[in-house]
Amino acid sequence: MSDPTPKYAYENTKIANLIRDRINELSGVKTQRQIAAEIGYDKPQVLSMYKRGEAKVPLERLPAFARALDIDLVVLFRAGLEQWWPNEREALDQMFSERIVSARERALLEFITSGFQESDIDNAIALLEGLRRATRG
């Protein structure tokens, strides 16, 4: 029977899971060394520490993490805040009560709007709303 106690203090945090999962997803695209360099680290071992939950991810590095890992900064920032202040979940829930757009949803929105001029956005929204109504019967 395995010990339920985590090996590292931040092992089961959302941000450790996000970083670990995203680095694994990017393994065929770029190396951990490349990711570390994009974030501003000389050595990739520091990323391993964050992935395992050995250390807290510095909040000031989150924008660089978001760019390097192509993760929505708001999602990453909330996960980072939860790691730093785990007992403030209620306050964080209030701060982030609006629905957060996932990376896939953001990519879809960017794809949809990429071919439009700013003045065409209203027409695109109307078209999508019409499609939604039509599919609902």
Side-chain angles (χ1 to χ4, degrees):
M1 193 161 128
S2 66
D3 183 4
T5 305
K7 186 174 181 179
Y8 301 110
Y10 311 107
E11 182 176 337
N12 296 321
T13 60
K14 285 182 186 178
I15 196 162
N17 291 330
L18 280 169
I19 290 170
R20 181 179 51 251
D21 292 347
R22 192 63 184 135
I23 287 174
N24 289 340
E25 290 169 3
L26 291 171
S27 65
V29 179
K30 51 186 166 180
T31 67
Q32 191 165 311
R33 181 175 302 282
Q34 290 170 313
I35 294 167
E38 288 178 29
I39 296 169
Y41 293 115
D42 294 331
K43 299 182 184 204
Q45 291 84 347
V46 70
L47 293 183
S48 296
M49 292 172 57
Y50 298 141
K51 286 180 0 182
R52 288 190 298 264
E54 289 182 62
K56 288 181 181 177
V57 179
L59 296 177
E60 67 272 11
R61 296 273 185 157
L62 292 180
F65 267 91
R67 284 188 301 276
L69 298 175
D70 192 27
I71 296 176
D72 185 281
L73 179 57
V74 174
V75 171
L76 200 59
F77 188 65
R78 179 178 181 161
L81 289 175
E82 287 178 7
Q83 186 182 56
W84 279 88
W85 296 287
N87 297 324
E88 300 301 327
R89 183 173 303 266
E90 186 176 323
L92 293 172
D93 286 345
Q94 289 175 358
M95 288 175 15
F96 291 96
S97 62
E98 292 295 318
R99 185 173 179 275
I100 296 173
V101 177
S102 72
R104 293 183 70 191
E105 290 168 327
R106 187 179 73 244
L108 179 60
L109 290 171
E110 289 171 1
F111 173 77
I112 290 169
T113 59
S114 65
F116 295 106
Q117 299 296 324
E118 189 64 34
S119 60
D120 294 330
I121 298 297
D122 288 337
N123 292 333
I125 291 170
L127 174 65
L128 291 171
E129 289 173 348
L131 288 170
R132 182 182 303 131
R133 283 191 300 273
T135 59
R136 288 186 180 163

